[in-house]
């Protein structure tokens, strides 16, 4: 075991840990998005889906614990790496020009922090209902938690939607570097898999941003939740 | 041509440093960048001042001695060259040119633009070789190597050990340097026997030297005078993880 | 000075084998009791230090660069010869031996050259085992190419970076020994003197180039692998740091300096574009495989190459030497270029250049093939000159490149100072008056991997441990001298930089002791060098102090040694009243302008013994006998 710890404390191992946890979290983000997109299928579908998740029982807590663990390792390792990287160049350049790097790559820790803060806000908003305690009272005709109404009402507040939009954009930036970078870090080498290291990140980021943004934008545009459901 | 040079001056390893301004004039476009500094130094010596210390030796782009950052880019903003291969025709008359040493904790400044890159040697010492002794080796043609493998090995082996990758990396990481040697030997049959232990030992040493981590900015490849491919970093990542996870002590 | 070459008896094929049987051995347990100093980490020094470390000796290895990997062997482009006969074109050890003796214009020691050819094959095996990525054929076996002075393809290569790859092989072997702690590496440390006590080399005195600290290192044997002295010309293909200090200092302490006038002017350098130029860059000889050398037939023809029709071009090498054509040896090619330029046919800056043209090869083989063979060289040329050689021919001119002369050594590679061994370019042993292309790498590695590790054992077994330690009075005295010299350099307080003296000396040497030499010119140089030296010590400016990194101080010390050495070099050139190899005395040439060797009077190695600065050194002669290769006029026609 101590050997494993040593591996993941090495620069290559730590990066692999970032990549693996990042890809895990990315998987969650994608699944989460696909689930939520059911809003376009109407209240019945979405609320039923939410109820299914709710009734997973201990499975739900295992999943939550797993996600939390992924997040903690991802954030903890990021913290360790950023500190080490700063220490590696104590005297900065007076003027350094970047040639190959991207905005996304340079801002990973910043977008990461914002996304982390957003996750906290998002949990407080739609899971713990901190700002809107009434959310937990709403039920649909089948006595299920009316998630559909909660989302629609939630996003009708323009500035809440704005926060979501900004956060999704930054999440996209984060993923556009992270998702490709992960495959380089994990040592993907076959030429046929090269797209994983290049186009994949930006592509997945665009899909996620568009998918997730479609919900608040559709609500604000009145395409979802017509007639005050 | 005339130029204004802003050059990092630092009297010794522990002395404070600062950018200093120099005017140079009457430079022909065929003059190389280092020859321009030679001319400036000649003037400084004549004035009884300390000339600018900078590293150079072969002046044909192969020894890897040059270690300056010109206008924010290791070696120079020109692609695929070492500083000694840069000529003043690449600049515009009247340009202000900034010259700094390679910066990294693992590359302490010794004086002006001279840094200590011994860390790179120690990475090689940790395992960047095939452990064969002199003599007793089989006939060279007993070890066939596919043409493509030999070429790829040569691509990696062209590293000149200048450290521009470290200087360019936002994290001052030495992954490209280390990966180049790992990949050179990993592409050859001679390198297979020690492949696993080599990559582990070299990565461990690299970490111990205080280089940063690779976060895939690929600045290293862009700055590399020999355009060493970041694909080799992927190879090293994979070899390292495979070797470490399969190792007995993992 | 006694010159005993210690050549083993017997037929030439058996000399080395027999010698190896007769040499004394140091038993494995005793090896660690011996300390060996190796100075220089090029192909010779790096391979020697690594091999000695592997054997179990305690090795202290020194280089002035920041890393042993940077020695100038790294810049060798074209390749390394070996008598493998892989291409099945009739090569053999004998033929490599023959070509090398002939290529050296019969001024090398037969026995040494034969041994070199013998171990050449082991070198390739060794390097391949280390993982040197030599060029391969599609079947996976090693590829060869042709080089000057041979009619077989025996040159192994790694693109245009053969020296780099071989050096990295040696460097990695050295790194392995540093890791194993058999070798202690001292980078950024410059040898400033050799300590000789009671007729034996005892160690060296060095300066730490970062702290300026002067220190003594004692050993049971000292190995100099410090390269050549082409930088005496200021402009040469050598790295800027290359210098004569180590060998010159050893010479001053009693080591004979042999044939200093044997310098190689490489035919394919890039001509300097002005006074600012700090070094000449070499274009590999391998380019002459496919490039054709020519000048306009009409003197003073200023048209661009493409404008000159085929009928008005003079492919003078093909014309004069039909059987070797563009692949004549370097000395012949250089001289022919000089002759064309002297007669007004030159092109480029100041009419000092000839075309090296690839248009025919590109037409025949296609641009891609040419790019695969020479791409990096073409790029290099493009960078420096700003002309694309795929479009227009290169303009090249001979440039000082390699020095065949060096410290005299016997068959065991030991100098006239017992315990002081000299290997690689620093010695004089194998190339005579002219070195063939791709043979320097071969000699450096032969000495370091396969000769010295045996012969030094024999020396140590016979001489035993040296009882003079680094705190001995002998070391203290030399340390004092070294310190005083540095103080003197710093104290002159003059106006001229060391570089300006170097440049002046270089110009003088190039004019008077370069490609063409005359008694008149050499006498003039011999009159001017002492004056320049005197001016140096009166007017050199070395700012700063001795206890920091001070590159001007380093340079000043090296120039001071060049200023002493240059005199001996000119004297040797004057004394050798014949033309042979790279040494061309204009008074001695045939009607066709070929070198006129005078075997009856000059078939010897000239070995100079130091008698004091400005004093005429004593000349000793090592007669050369040719029992195996018939002493004949070299012809490449």
């Amino acid at each position: 075991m101590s050997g494993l710890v040593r591996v993941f404390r090495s620069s290559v191992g730590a990066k692999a840990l970032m990549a693996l946890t990042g890809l895990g979290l990315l998987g969650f983000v994608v699944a989460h998005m696909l689930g939520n997109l059911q809003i376009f299928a109407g209240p019945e579908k979405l609320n039923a889906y939410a109820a299914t998740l709710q009734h997973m029982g201990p499975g739900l807590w295992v999943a939550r614990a797993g996600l939390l663990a992924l997040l903690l390792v991802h954030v903890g390792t990021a913290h360790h790496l950023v500190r080490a990287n700063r220490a590696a160049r104590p005297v900065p350049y007076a003027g350094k020009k970047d040639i190959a790097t991207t905005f996304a790559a340079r801002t990973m820790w910043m977008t990461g922090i914002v996304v982390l803060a957003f996750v906290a806000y998002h949990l407080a908003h739609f899971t713990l209902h901190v700002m809107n305690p009434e959310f937990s009272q709403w039920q649909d005709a089948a006595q299920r938690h009316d998630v559909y109404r909660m989302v629609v009402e939630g996003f009708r507040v323009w500035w809440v939607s704005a926060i979501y939009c900004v956060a999704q954009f930054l999440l996209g930036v984060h993923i556009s570097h992270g998702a490709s970078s992960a495959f380089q870090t994990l040592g993907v080498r076959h030429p046929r898999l090269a797209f994983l290291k290049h186009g994949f990140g930006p592509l997945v980021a665009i899909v996620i941003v568009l998918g997730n943004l479609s919900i608040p934008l559709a609500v604000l545009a009145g395409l979802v939740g017509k007639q005050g459901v | 041509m005339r130029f204004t040079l802003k050059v990092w001056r630092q009297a010794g390893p522990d002395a404070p440093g600062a950018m200093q301004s120099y005017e140079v004039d009457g430079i022909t476009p065929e003059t190389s960048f280092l020859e321009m500094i030679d001319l400036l130094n000649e003037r400084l010596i004549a004035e009884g001042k300390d000339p600018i210390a900078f590293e150079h030796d072969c002046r044909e782009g192969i020894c890897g001695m040059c270690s300056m950052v010109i206008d924010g880019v290791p070696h120079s903003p020109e692609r695929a060259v070492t500083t000694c291969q840069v000529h003043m025709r690449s600049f515009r008359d009247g340009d202000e040119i900034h010259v700094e040493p390679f910066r990294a904790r693992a590359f302490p400044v010794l004086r002006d633009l001279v840094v200590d890159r011994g860390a790179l040697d120690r990475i090689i010492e940790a395992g960047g070789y095939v452990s064969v002794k002199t003599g007793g080796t089989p006939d060279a043609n007993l070890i066939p190597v596919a043409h493509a493998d030999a070429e790829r090995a040569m691509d990696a082996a062209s590293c000149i050990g200048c450290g521009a990758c470290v200087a360019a990396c936002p994290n001052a990481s030495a992954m490209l340097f280390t990966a180049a040697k790992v990949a050179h030997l990993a592409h050859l049959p001679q390198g297979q026997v020690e492949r696993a232990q080599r990559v582990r030992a070299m990565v461990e040493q690299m970490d111990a030297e205080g280089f940063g981590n690779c976060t895939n900015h690929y600045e290293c490849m862009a700055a590399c005078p020999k355009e060493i491919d970041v694909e080799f970093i992927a190879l090293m990542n994979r070899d390292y993880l495979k070797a470490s996870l399969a190792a007995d002590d993992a | 000075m006694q010159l005993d070459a210690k050549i083993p008896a017997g037929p030439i094929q058996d000399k080395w084998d027999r010698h190896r049987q007769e040499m004394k051995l140091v038993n494995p347990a005793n090896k660690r009791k011996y300390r060996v100093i190796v100075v220089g980490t090029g192909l010779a020094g790096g391979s020697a230090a690594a091999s000695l470390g592997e054997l179990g000796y305690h090795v202290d290895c020194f280089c002035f660069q920041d890393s042993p990997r940077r020695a100038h062997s790294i810049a060798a482009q074209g390749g390394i010869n070996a008598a493998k006969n892989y291409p099945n074109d009739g090569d053999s050890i004998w033929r490599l031996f023959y070509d090398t003796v002939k290529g050296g214009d019969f001024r090398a020691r037969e026995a040494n050259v034969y041994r070199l050819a013998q171990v050449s094959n082991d070198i390739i095996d060794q390097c391949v085992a280390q993982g040197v990525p030599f060029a391969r054929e599609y079947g996976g076996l090693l590829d060869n190419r042709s080089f000057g002075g041979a009619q077989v393809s025996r040159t192994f290569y790694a693109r245009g970076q053969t020296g780099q790859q071989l050096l990295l092989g040696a460097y990695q072997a050295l790194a392995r020994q540093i890791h194993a702690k058999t070798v202690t590496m001292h980078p950024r440390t410059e040898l400033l003197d050799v300590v000789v006590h009671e007729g034996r080399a005892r160690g060296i005195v060095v300066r730490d180039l970062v702290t300026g600290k002067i220190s003594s290192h004692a050993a049971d044997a000292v190995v100099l692998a410090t390269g050549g002295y082409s930088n005496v010309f200021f402009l040469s293909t050598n790295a800027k740091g290359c210098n004569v200090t180590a060998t010159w200092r050893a010479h001053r302490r009693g080591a004979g300096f042999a044939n200093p006038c044997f310098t190689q002017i490489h035919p394919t350098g890039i001509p300097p574009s002005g006074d600012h130029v700090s070094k000449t860059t070499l274009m590999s000889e391998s380019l002459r495989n496919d490039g054709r050398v020519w000048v306009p037939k009409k003197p003073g023809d200023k048209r661009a190459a493409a404008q000159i029709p085929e009928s008005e071009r003079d492919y003078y090498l093909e014309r004069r030497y039909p059987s070797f054509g563009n692949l004549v040896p370097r000395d012949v090619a250089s001289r022919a270029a000089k002759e064309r330029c002297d007669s007004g046919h030159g092109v480029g800056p100041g009419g000092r250049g000839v075309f090296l043209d690839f248009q025919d090869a590109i037409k025949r083989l296609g641009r891609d093939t040419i790019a695969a063979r020479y791409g990096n060289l073409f790029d290099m040329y493009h960078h420096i000159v700003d002309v694309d050689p795929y479009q227009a021919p290169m303009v090249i001119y001979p440039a000082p490149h390699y020095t065949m002369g060096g410290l005299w050594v016997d068959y065991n590679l030991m100098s006239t100072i017992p315990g002081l061994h000299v290997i690689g370019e620093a010695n004089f042993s194998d190339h005579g008056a002219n070195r063939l292309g791709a043979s320097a790498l071969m000699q450096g590695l032969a000495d370091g991997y396969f000769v010295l590790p045996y012969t030094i054992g024999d020396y140590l077994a016979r001489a035993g441990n040296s009882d003079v330690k680094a705190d001995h009075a002998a070391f203290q005295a030399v340390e004092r001298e070294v310190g005083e010299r540095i103080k003197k350099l710093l104290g002159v307080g003059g106006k001229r930089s060391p570089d300006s003296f170097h440049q002046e000396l270089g110009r003088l040497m190039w004019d008077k002791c370069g490609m063409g030499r005359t008694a008149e010119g050499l006498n003039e140089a011999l009159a001017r060098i002492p004056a320049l030296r005197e001016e140096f010590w009166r007017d050199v400016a070395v700012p700063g102090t001795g206890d920091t990194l001070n590159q001007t101080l380093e340079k000043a010390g090296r120039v001071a040694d060049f200023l002493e050495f240059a005199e001996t070099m000119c004297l040797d050139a004057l004394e050798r009243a014949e033309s042979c190899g790279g040494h061309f005395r204009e008074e001695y040439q045939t009607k066709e302008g070929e070198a006129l060797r005078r075997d009856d009077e000059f078939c010897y190695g000239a070995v100079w013994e130091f008698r004091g600065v400005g004093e005429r050194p004593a000349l000793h002669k090592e007669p050369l006998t040719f029992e195996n290769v018939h002493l004949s006029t070299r012809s490449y026609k």
Side-chain angles (χ1 to χ4, degrees), chain C residues 326-350:
Chain C
N326 292 295
L327 283 176
V328 291
R330 292 173 175 174
D331 55 334
V332 177
S334 291
R335 224 158 24 238
K338 179 175 186 288
E339 187 277 327
R340 286 289 82 191
C341 295
D342 286 348
S343 61
H345 295 268
V347 296

Side-chain angles (χ1 to χ4, degrees), chain C residues 78-130:
Chain C
I80 177 166
N81 287 333
K84 284 280 195 188
N85 192 31
Y86 284 160
N88 193 31
D89 57 359
D91 201 5
S92 64
I93 287 171
W94 182 269
R95 197 176 286 277
L96 175 54
F97 157 68
Y98 173 85
D99 285 347
T100 307
V101 170
K102 179 185 167 198
D105 218 352
F106 302 93
R107 289 295 175 265
R109 203 187 276 151
E110 269 191 344
N112 284 53
V113 178
Y114 195 85
R115 176 177 64 190
L116 175 66
Q118 273 177 306
V119 301
S120 69
N121 292 341
D122 297 338
I123 297 170
I124 303 303
D125 298 342
Q126 180 67 28
C127 295
V128 166
Q130 287 170 343

Side-chain angles (χ1 to χ4, degrees), chain B residues 108-139:
Chain B
V109 173
L110 297 176
R111 185 178 189 136
D112 298 341
L113 305 171
V114 178
V115 299
D116 179 0
R117 286 168 285 185
L120 300 183
D121 285 321
R122 291 187 290 273
I123 292 175
I124 300 294
E125 284 158 24
Y129 37 74
V130 178
S131 297
V132 292
K133 283 196 291 204
T134 302
T137 49
D139 183 88

Side-chain angles (χ1 to χ4, degrees), chain C residues 464-515:
Chain C
N465 280 107
S466 162
D467 49 359
V468 175
K469 301 295 167 222
D471 55 2
H472 189 275
F475 277 95
Q476 287 170 358
V478 176
E479 264 191 46
R480 251 194 320 278
E481 278 177 48
V482 165
E484 273 157 22
R485 188 159 179 267
I486 288 173
K487 216 179 290 166
K488 197 170 154 197
L489 283 169
L490 288 164
V492 174
K495 281 273 165 266
R496 286 184 62 182
S497 71
D499 247 7
S500 76
F501 284 103
H502 192 185
Q503 213 160 0
E504 190 176 336
L505 174 71
R507 246 183 239 137
L508 179 67
M509 294 301 283
W510 181 234
D511 286 347
K512 308 296 177 197
C513 198
M515 260 192 294

